[in-house]
Amino acid sequence: MRIGELAQRTGTTPKAVRLYEARGLMGAVARAGSYRDYGEADVARVLLIRRAQALGFRLAELGGLPALDSATGWNAVGQLIADRRAAVAAERARLALLDAELAQLERELLQCDAQAVPASAAACAVEPASPPPPPPSRPATKSARTNPPRGFVARV
């Protein structure tokens, strides 16, 4: 089949297929004269690339795809998937912590609202379950310590 049919069957564009080839993700593509001649294995390969992209992989990470016909290729892709799953687990843990902090803030705001009087933040605050992580430290420059931010207007 020609590149247009491959693109249509895989829901991509001929330009994307050429990019996959240029990046070495398609392996060797047969030629019929000056035309590329794609087969069912190429359809499966493009569908695999598109699925990997939908799962967040970058094309640069998919270098093991041409070697899928070997145990080494399968091991490389398996490691890539394991690494991605570990990154997803770390992100889920980060989001769970963020959700807990948001719930804590919500409880504090509800407590302030229940008091129905103006109160200081300290009076409304609920004891946090755990201290929030410290912000990343950045070295302060002299100009940042002595000069106000741009656009800052001091009111007197």
Side-chain angles (χ1 to χ4, degrees):
M1 81 184 79
R2 303 276 190 245
I3 195 168
E5 183 181 347
L6 174 65
Q8 184 179 22
R9 286 184 57 188
T10 58
T12 190
T13 63
K15 184 177 178 179
V17 173
R18 287 186 199 99
L19 175 65
Y20 302 157
E21 283 186 58
R23 294 274 180 114
L25 301 177
M26 298 287 294
V29 176
R31 297 227 177 226
S34 62
Y35 294 101
R36 295 175 182 94
D37 189 26
Y38 298 98
E40 292 304 314
D42 297 310
V43 171
R45 182 72 47 106
V46 171
L47 290 173
L48 179 63
I49 293 168
R50 300 215 4 111
R51 185 170 181 201
Q53 286 183 300
L55 292 171
F57 289 99
R58 296 184 324 267
L59 290 179
E61 295 174 299
L62 301 177
L65 289 181
L68 278 182
D69 301 336
S70 69
T72 305
W74 282 110
N75 288 337
V77 172
Q79 185 60 51
L80 187 65
I81 292 168
D83 292 346
R84 176 56 49 125
R85 291 191 72 205
V88 167
E91 182 67 8
R92 285 186 6 216
R94 186 190 70 79
L95 289 172
L97 179 61
L98 178 62
D99 185 50
E101 290 176 13
L102 287 169
Q104 178 67 26
L105 178 60
E106 183 178 39
R107 285 190 297 277
E108 292 173 11
L109 293 174
L110 289 174
Q111 183 175 350
C112 284
D113 186 44
Q115 291 178 6
V117 293
S120 68
C124 293
V126 176
E127 193 63 33
S130 65
S137 61
R138 293 182 10 203
T141 62
K142 183 176 180 172
S143 63
R145 284 180 277 148
T146 58
N147 297 332
R150 285 190 178 171
F152 178 78
V153 178
R155 297 191 182 196
V156 185

